Structures are given as structure tokens and as C-alpha cells.
Amino acid sequence: MLPAFMVSAPGKVIVYGEHAVVHGKAAIAGAISLRSYLLVTTLSKSRRTVTLRFPDISLDHTWNIDDLPWSTFSHPSKKKFYYDLVTSLDPDLIEAMKPHLSNVSPSLPPETRKIHQASASGFLYLYLSLGAQTSPASIFTLRSTIPIGAGLGSSASICVCLSSALLLQIRALSGPHPDQPGEEARLQIERINRWAFVGEMCIHGNPSGVDNTVASGGKAVVFKRKDYQKPPTVTLLKNFPELPLLLVNTRQPRSTHVEVAKVGTLKKAHPVVTNMMLDAIDKVTESAHTLISSPSFDKDDPATLQHLGELIVINHGLLVSLGVSHPKLERIRELVDRAGAGWAKLTGAGGGGCAITVLKPGNKQETLRDLKAQLDAEGFEIYETILGGDGVGVLWPAVLKNGSDEDGGEEIDQEKFLKAVGNEGVERLVGVGADETREGWKFWRY
């Protein structure tokens, strides 16, 4: 029987290139220290159930493994293998899952039920594609410190966790370990990323793929996907600077699908003008990429940071013109501008969600204190974070050196994981960044 193990993946912010990336342009996105955590517990051989628990959204559902539509997913005309590239969802497989999704949270309000069933569909599609009827009974328990529905890649982070956990269960991944060659590590990340994208398609319909790419590989990337029948072009930005960010959540619910469709509608109505705006966003991204990749790039040079900041402001203005901002996002930008603290823009799909501010060097302490107090007074949620952390990581087995008296370290079980209170409790118990000397977590790096 497999030991209990954990996987973790970061959230992300898009620094440049929102919406243009859906239309074949480039985007720059970076990992942030807010993360999702998945604990996988294998049950005894006498059990024949699989459970998905996500207490942050009050989702808890169990399926009987033998009742699931294995015959449809394993049919020779439908079967996919762990090494396959899947670029679209099979309508017949989606149809076969429907009876097993309709009884997920049936008594809850329609909006909540929709979220639960979308989450369950991503899990079930991956589980049935990568697993087999002989798969061991398991409990998959998710906790996340990433605000949900805020444009920070929370669903992609979760899909990366699910993809990597299921691939680990079927022994389809090697590593991670410190001596792993870079090319081998890259191939493992690519495999995880491909299947995470499948989960994202279940949830969002037509995702760009940038969120799951950053959640898989971490750091920062230039991402471009012109042809959805082919893998994306991803360029790792190894020299991407660790920039301090003020991340502000508007708490305004939004839908990636709705905002993406909004730009698509605008493009149909005004193709020439909309394409010019998308091209301009692409030029912003290209300018930032060129600057960051330059051998003479110095993140501490005020002129360099001024250039990057101006590009952030230009990018936001173009997104406003595409109609994907929101009054709350504009209010955050207004407060940041008034304080002179940095360069602000929306991040993600817009329509609510979050704004990021790259902070100017040399800000006075009282300037930031007053800005945060004003944002807090107006009901915004504030996170201080840094770009450029690790991507997907593994804790195998689920044991950490937490300063406990347990032999070999503290075993992370279902009870401890579920009882961790809030983001602080989760980070304190299993957080990747909670203690930089903490042993156990390992990452694919290349």
C-alpha cells in the first residue's frame, strides 16, 4: 500500500499579456508564494471508494470506484495514456461522467453546486483517464492558501496537484531529486502540465494554458500558444527578478470564461481595433521580455524598474479598453497612484479578482502603512508576496520535520490536515515557505 503523500503547486500572477495570450500572443507570468496542497491517503484493499475533499469550498464527495464509467474511458477508441498530449475533451467521455457528477452537492444552491461539479469534473476526468478500475481506494484532500476566483490561478494550481498526484500513483514520474538532470526534470514537469491543462479544460472550457504552466514549472515564463493542437511555446525566465508585490483582492467574484468571451465578442464586432489592442499588449510583453533577458538587466536600477513599471501601466490601460476591468480594480489603481507607491494593474481575467502593484524602491514605511490601511478600510484583501518561487513539489511520504517529538518527523494525516485553521494553519503545518530549512519537500528544477 502506498504511503500517504502530498503535492503542492503555486498560484500565479500574469505580469504582462492578459487576454492577448488567449489569442496567440505572448504573456509573462510568475509563480507566487500562495499555494495549494493535496494530501493523498491510500485506503485498505477492502475499500472500493475514491473521495474528493476540498473543505475550503465545502466539497466532500465519494464515488464507488467500480460504478465509474471505466469501460467508456478504456475503450480502444477513447483510451489515453499518461504520455499522450490531449488538446480537447472527448464529448463521449464528458457524457459518460454526467451521471456521476449530477449527484455532487445536489442540495446546495445552484451557483455553489456549479462550482462543486466543475471541480469534480476536472478530478474525475483525470482520475478516469490516468487510473484504472484496479486503482486503490484513496482520499484526495485539498487545501489552498490562494484566493479562489480571483485570477491567481487557483484552479490551475489544484489541477497541477491532481495531475502530479495521479501520475505519481501510477509510477509515471521520476524524481524529483537533487541530482536529477535538468532535461529529465523538464520532461516530468511537461507531463504534469499536459494533464493539468486537461483538468483546466473541464473547469474553464477554453483556458490559455498559462496558469497551469506556471503552477507546474514555477519561477516565471514567457508563454505563447498559437495552435491548440500543439504544445505551447514556453521560455523559462531564469533571471526574472524577485520583485516585491502588493497583491490586492477586490473580493469581487468573476468568471474567466465570461471575461474571455467578452473579448471574443468585442473582436467579432470590431476586429481591426480589437486586434490592434491585442497586438499592442503583445508589444508590451515583448518589450518587458527583451529588457529582462538583457545581459545588462539590473533589477535594482531605478531606470530599469521605471521602464517595467511604465509597461505595467500601459498594459492595464489596454485591458481597460478591452472592457475587462472593474470599478474596484480602478479604485485600487487610484489609491496606489495617489500614494505614489508603485505601478498597478489588474492581473488575470479581470472583471474583479486581483490587482498587483510592483512596489517602488525606497518607499517610506508610513507610505505603505497608510496605503494598506486605506485598502483595508475599503474592504480589500491584502497580501504581501514575491514573484518567482518553485513550481510543483512533492512530499513523499507525508512526513515533515516540524520540531515535533514524533520519530522521524511529524506524519501529516487527514485529521491534522483538515483541522489546520485558515491559511496560517495550513502554512504552519505543511507550508513550503513556512520554514526554509524544513526537510521533506522536493521540487523538479531545470
Side-chain angles (χ1 to χ4, degrees), residues 147-224:
I148 295 169
L152 300 177
S154 59
S155 67
S157 174
I158 289 164
C159 286
V160 168
C161 286
L162 292 171
S163 168
S164 53
L166 290 166
L167 288 165
L168 284 165
Q169 275 197 324
I170 63 170
R171 309 288 189 181
L173 295 174
S174 64
H177 55 80
D179 299 325
Q180 190 167 29
E183 178 61 16
E184 184 179 292
R186 187 192 66 77
L187 290 173
Q188 310 314 303
I189 291 172
E190 181 181 335
R191 186 168 293 165
I192 292 167
N193 189 29
R194 286 182 174 188
W195 281 103
F197 182 69
V198 175
E200 280 279 86
M201 284 193 289
C202 292
I203 296 170
H204 292 303
N206 182 32
S208 69
V210 66
D211 289 12
N212 48 278
T213 299
V214 175
S216 298
K219 302 300 180 186
V221 300
V222 179
F223 176 98
K224 196 168 188 176

Side-chain angles (χ1 to χ4, degrees), residues 262-381:
K262 192 185 293 183
V263 176
T265 300
L266 187 69
K267 188 177 179 181
K268 286 181 181 178
H270 306 281
V272 175
V273 175
T274 305
N275 279 323
M276 287 180 67
M277 288 189 285
L278 294 172
D279 286 341
I281 292 174
D282 193 39
K283 292 298 183 185
V284 167
T285 305
E286 183 182 320
S287 179
H289 181 203
T290 300
L291 181 62
I292 293 168
S293 302
S294 169
S296 60
F297 177 72
D298 179 5
K299 73 179 181 67
D300 296 319
D301 181 354
T304 300
L305 285 179
Q306 179 72 26
H307 185 84
L308 289 174
E310 288 170 353
L311 290 176
I312 282 173
V313 173
I314 293 168
N315 197 161
H316 180 78
L318 290 165
L319 291 168
V320 171
S321 298
L322 288 174
V324 296
S325 190
H326 186 275
K328 289 184 178 180
L329 289 165
E330 295 308 304
R331 177 58 175 163
I332 293 168
R333 186 188 56 79
E334 179 186 358
L335 291 173
V336 171
D337 285 352
R338 185 184 299 170
W343 302 275
K345 67 180 284 290
L346 69 84
T347 184
C354 290
I356 57 170
T357 299
V358 174
L359 296 171
K360 291 180 178 179
N363 272 316
K364 293 181 179 179
Q365 192 172 353
E366 55 266 30
T367 299
L368 292 179
R369 185 185 64 237
D370 292 347
L371 173 60
K372 288 188 284 186
Q374 182 67 45
L375 290 165
D376 183 65
E378 296 194 18
F380 298 116
E381 190 175 28

